[in-house]
Every structure is written in C-alpha cells, then in structure tokens.
Amino acid sequence: MNDSPGWATPGSSPSDGDRQGSPADRPGDDGGAQQPARPTGDPKWSAEQPPPGQWSSPGATPPADAPQPPAQPAGGWGAQPGTPYGGRQAYPGGPGQWSQPAAAKPGVIPLRPLGLGEILDGSVATMRTHWRSVVPITLVVATVIQVISVVVQKFMLSDLPLSSTEDMTAEEAIDTLGSSLAVSVVNQFIQVLGTIVVTAMLTMIFSRAILGQHSSVSTAWREARPQLLRLIGLTLLLALGIILLGAVLVLPGALAGNIGLAVVGFVAWLPLIIWLGIRFSLASPALMLEKSTVIKAFARSSKLVRGSWWRIFGITLLTGLIAFMVALMVVAPFQMIGIFAVGGGMDALEDGSAQTAWGPLIFSGIGLIIAQTIIMPIQSGVTVLLYVDQRIRREGLDLELARAAGIENYGTTGG
C-alpha cells in the first residue's frame, strides 16, 4: 500500500486516504513482478503460440525468416489513441534503440522526471508568465525588508566611533562589535520573516503554474495563510536545531579556551548543518502543498531526499551560485554610485562614514530590492519543482497532476 499523499489542489483539504495513480498503476510497470505462466488447457489461450523470441545483440543482422518490426512513421512518433503518455506510442528508433515517449505539459514543466535545465527553466518561465502575481509579492516584501534594514543600520550604527580599529579602546571595540551583531540579528530576522511570506505565497503560485492555471496575489495569500504559522514554526525549529547542534559541538571548546577543540567542533558542525539543510530542504513545499503538520513535513522531506541527496545538493548549490552572481551584478553598481556619487568617495570608506550615510544606504537598498525581486522567485521555484520532481520519480505524481490539469486518459491504455 502506498502511504504517500496525493496532490492537494491549492485551496483544498488534504486527502487522508490512499493515493491513486501510484507507479504500480503505470502501464508497462509491473513493479518487478514476473508475468504468470500460460495455464495448460485454459480456453482463453490459443492452442498454437508463437515461438520464443530470439534476442540478438544491437547491430547484428537478423535471420532471413525473422519477423520484421513495424515500420517507423515519419518523424519518429505515431499518434495512437489510448496509448500512454498523452496518446503517443514509442517506436524503435534504430537497432537496439527506442524513442522516449513524450509527456504532457499543461503548465511550466512537462509531467515527467525533470532535468536540471527544466527545473531552472520552469522557475524562470513561471516568473515570466505569471509576473503579475510574482513580481508584486517579491517587490513589496523586498522593499519592506530593505526599508527596515536601512533604518536600523542608520540609527543603530550612527553613534559608533568612526576611528580605525587600531585607535579604539577596548570599551569602544566591544560597543562596536555588540552594535554590529545586533544590526545583523535584526536584519536576519526581518529577512527570514519576509522570505517565509514569499515562500508561502509563491509555492501556491508555482503549484497552479504546473497545472497551467493562473493565480492572483489575493488568491495566493488566501491559500497560503492557513499554513503560514506552521511554516514559521518549521523555519524556527530548523534554525533552533542548527544553533543547538553548534552549541554542543563548538561551545565547550570555546568556553574552555581550547582553540583546537573549538575548531574541531566547528569543522564537524559545518558539514552537519549542510547535510540537515538539504535533508529538510523539501519540508516547506511538503508543508504547504500537502497541508501537513511540521513534524510530518520534516518526515516527508527526509523520505523524498533519501537516495537523492547529492543531486538535490548540487542543484541547490548551483541555484545559490546563480543567485549570488545575479545579486553581485545588480547590487555592486548601485553601491558604487551611492559611495562615489553621493557618499563621499574613498574618504568615506576609509573613515567608516559610508556605512551610516543616507546616500550609500539608500542606493545599496535599491540594488538589493531589485536583486531580491529577481532572486526570490527563482530560489522558491527551484525548491517547489525539486519537490514535485522527487514525487514524480518516487510516487508517480505526474498521473495525479495530469488528472488535476484536466487531461483525460493520461497514462492509461485503451482501445
């Protein structure tokens, strides 16, 4: 029995029953079971059966009396009603070769296991096709985040001494370090809250885009709101686990003054948080789309990632590098304008006044708003499409997506 949940159409309640359309239901997939032998004397079987097929190596010349395979139509595909994969039948593409059946594509991705390019393209295609819903969400959230960040940085760092580190007293150095940490914590907290809201709403938009359906901002908010508190709890619980793990591994050596032990603890902590981050990277879409609890979402992510950790890690890492490069190309020019046009130039950089001047802060904030408006949909989209891809590979979700998209007789055989 397959205990995986079905595809919950956005806005609907989750299904508690067993999911239909499992991989065992696919045509031509017998789950590894052998075909039953022909019973003796069964009237449903013909008394005369064809001889057993002879397998020859690819490229070998078949015997003269061997039956010829059906001729391949022009183009390599034959549209056959009632055949799997959207009504297309595979034909031999040559000796020892077979053409891959085409998959239906009601929305931004084809309903089959996805490659890296298709995942990235699906994210960009959703942002391009549904920009009226995607851009307002990310633009508003990014603007709120940066306005708060600029104000906090301006007023919390403006009273700090501008002298160099060498000229600071011990008390001034402690105050500077404490204020910088406080600004960083506040900015990260606002960033996390904004990312949670964006992730929740964009997940709903992407789930409809996969089915070829549009979603407005109000609809996305209405569908995401019931799970928003749970998504906040999931994020905080994951962050708390990472912090506690670091405290256990790094803090003892730091408190004891043993630098070597602290370094060893940090070296052990870093790969662990990367491993946990990837293992639970699909918990957010599982929580939102399956309408599950926080614990079940963690369990679902762990189950979906199992056996594909390195693949998901590679795609996530590549997405992060792309996001970093986009942010660098967008933000750097605005920072240069802010510093050298209205921020005092090199003198402001040397004495530290550029960190608290309005000009550099505002221009840097504008660049970050533009960068986050572009980056957040791509990162959220990759996460959602990775979740969908893993469920297609493991649970035959493409059959349920096809039914949800209104494609009739998808994946079934018939006359």
Side-chain angles (χ1 to χ4, degrees):
M1 180 178 295
N2 193 340
D3 59 351
S4 60
W7 178 260
T9 303
S12 63
S13 58
S15 173
D16 295 328
D18 291 332
R19 185 185 62 81
Q20 299 178 354
S22 64
D25 298 332
R26 291 177 180 270
D29 188 353
D30 56 3
Q34 297 181 353
Q35 297 296 330
R38 178 175 64 89
T40 305
D42 191 339
K44 296 182 180 181
W45 292 77
S46 173
E48 296 182 0
Q49 295 295 317
Q54 301 295 325
W55 175 262
S56 59
S57 60
T61 304
D65 57 348
Q68 297 297 320
Q72 182 178 358
W77 289 103
Q80 300 291 337
T83 54
Y85 300 100
R88 292 189 179 271
Q89 175 68 42
Y91 287 91
Q97 299 178 359
W98 287 82
S99 300
Q100 183 179 5
K105 188 179 179 181
V108 294
I109 59 169
L111 301 185
R112 57 171 169 75
L114 304 174
L116 169 63
E118 291 170 324
I119 291 175
L120 295 174
D121 181 68
S123 300
V124 176
T126 302
M127 184 171 62
R128 183 177 62 248
T129 306
H130 304 273
W131 65 270
R132 289 183 178 85
S133 301
V134 173
V135 173
I137 294 172
T138 55
L139 180 60
V140 170
V141 173
T143 301
V144 171
I145 291 173
Q146 293 307 317
V147 167
I148 296 175
S149 176
V150 167
V151 172
V152 168
Q153 190 169 347
K154 171 64 178 178
F155 291 103
M156 291 188 68
L157 298 181
S158 58
D159 295 333
L160 296 181
L162 299 179
S163 57
S164 63
T165 306
E166 298 176 355
D167 299 332
M168 286 185 183
T169 63
E171 183 178 355
E172 289 176 341
I174 293 175
D175 290 340
T176 301
L177 179 61
S179 298
S180 300
L181 288 176
V183 169
S184 178
V185 169
V186 172
N187 287 340
Q188 288 299 320
F189 180 74
I190 299 300
Q191 181 75 40
V192 168
L193 287 182
T195 303
I196 290 173
V197 174
V198 169
T199 300
M201 298 181 68
L202 291 185
T203 298
M204 298 297 122
I205 293 176
F206 273 95
S207 66
R208 288 184 176 272
I210 292 171
L211 304 178
Q213 302 172 359
H214 291 272
S215 179
S216 64
V217 175
S218 59
T219 302
W221 171 250
R222 184 171 62 252
E223 293 170 350
R225 186 174 55 190
Q227 293 292 100
L228 197 57
L229 288 179
R230 288 181 177 179
L231 185 59
I232 293 174
L234 183 147
T235 305
L236 294 179
L237 187 61
L238 183 60
L240 181 61
I242 292 175
I243 293 173
L244 290 178
L245 186 62
V248 170
L249 294 176
V250 180
L251 199 57
L255 293 177
N258 190 333
I259 303 300
L261 182 60
V263 170
V264 170
F266 179 80
V267 171
W269 178 53
L270 187 60
L272 276 176
I273 63 176
I274 295 175
W275 180 80
L276 286 174
I278 299 300
R279 189 173 184 85
F280 297 131
S281 61
L282 305 183
S284 171
L287 178 79
M288 300 301 300
L289 297 178
E290 297 177 15
K291 306 294 190 291
S292 64
T293 62
V294 172
I295 302 301
K296 288 183 179 180
F298 279 126
R300 285 288 291 152
S301 178
S302 178
K303 179 180 178 181
L304 292 172
V305 172
R306 189 180 301 121
S308 302
W309 191 95
W310 284 106
R311 176 176 179 271
I312 296 175
F313 169 74
I315 294 175
T316 304
L317 179 62
L318 179 60
T319 305
L321 291 176
I322 293 174
F324 174 77
M325 295 303 297
V326 171
L328 186 64
M329 290 186 294
V330 173
V331 176
F334 283 91
Q335 288 180 333
M336 299 295 288
I337 293 173
I339 293 174
F340 291 99
V342 295
M346 293 300 301
D347 294 337
L349 285 176
E350 292 177 358
D351 60 23
S353 60
Q355 297 181 6
T356 57
W358 280 115
L361 288 176
I362 291 175
F363 274 91
S364 177
I366 293 173
L368 287 170
I369 289 173
I370 298 174
Q372 288 181 335
T373 302
I374 300 172
I375 290 171
M376 286 193 289
I378 296 177
Q379 292 180 316
S380 297
V382 167
T383 302
V384 173
L385 295 182
L386 274 174
Y387 162 83
V388 172
D389 174 58
Q390 288 301 109
R391 289 198 59 185
I392 289 176
R393 293 172 183 269
R394 295 175 179 264
E395 302 169 359
L397 182 64
D398 52 329
L399 302 178
E400 296 187 15
L401 290 173
R403 285 194 289 269
I407 302 175
E408 298 182 358
N409 301 324
Y410 183 80
T412 61
T413 58

